[in-house]
Structures are given as C-alpha cells and as structure tokens.
Amino acid sequence: MSIEVSLSDKIDRDEVIHLYRANGWSSADKPDQLMAGLRNSHALVTARIGDQLVGLGNAISDGHLVVYFPHMLVDPVHQGAGVGRKMMRPCSTGTPAFIR
C-alpha cells in the first residue's frame, strides 16, 4: 500500500463528500460551501492510495505567524496506517510540508 501525498492534487466533489460522510462530518451536508472553503484555503494536502482519496487536510494562515488546521480527515478504513502522519510529516524546514 503506497500512500501518495500531494499539495497540488485536483479534488473531486463526490470523493470529498464521500470522505467527509465516512467520518461523520456535517460539512458534507453543505457541499458548495465545503468545496469553496477547501479550494480557498492557504494550503490543501491530499493523500491517495492509487486513485482513491483517503486523506485530506487544509491550512488557514495569516501568512506570517498563525496557522490553523481546521480539517484533517482520514478515511476510517485507512486510519492507523500512517496516512495522517504522512500528511503532517515535517519537511526540511521543520514545518509540515503543506504550509511551506
């Protein structure tokens, strides 16, 4: 099982809604607002196994000092397999890769 993490992945509405519903998040009930919020985040990280979206997280930042991570989801089927850890793995600067 190879987990591919991306900072430039194209997200599809249906797969995002599926991931949010699988985790029981009510954001899935507001798909237009959810997709707009994700697409307008400071950064968006995805994790895939093959072509299946198994993880997603976003960062909101002032660009200088404050970073907030409002959403970090991993498909329950893949929880405990290191997906979230890989999405948050620090890069060489010591900060998570998706807030560089």
Side-chain angles (χ1 to χ4, degrees):
M1 168 175 80
S2 177
I3 302 164
E4 296 297 322
V5 173
S6 175
L7 300 172
S8 59
D9 195 6
K10 302 288 186 219
I11 53 174
D12 175 76
R13 178 180 169 136
D14 290 339
E15 67 182 354
V16 169
I17 298 306
H18 173 78
L19 183 61
Y20 276 74
R21 287 202 195 287
N23 280 280
W25 281 44
S26 62
S27 301
D29 297 334
K30 301 174 185 170
D32 293 334
Q33 292 91 334
L34 174 60
M35 295 303 292
L38 292 174
R39 289 185 173 132
N40 287 294
S41 296
H42 180 79
L44 183 69
V45 62
T46 59
R48 292 185 182 276
I49 297 175
D51 63 352
Q52 180 186 5
L53 181 68
V54 297
L56 182 142
N58 73 324
I60 297 172
S61 173
D62 65 7
H64 300 280
L65 295 173
V66 178
V67 177
Y68 173 61
F69 302 95
H71 294 196
M72 179 62 72
L73 295 93
V74 174
D75 190 311
V77 172
H78 297 284
Q79 289 177 2
V83 175
R85 182 173 29 255
K86 190 163 185 180
M87 288 192 300
M88 290 297 294
R89 181 167 290 139
C91 64
S92 61
T93 64
T95 59
F98 71 103
I99 60 168
R100 280 188 267 162

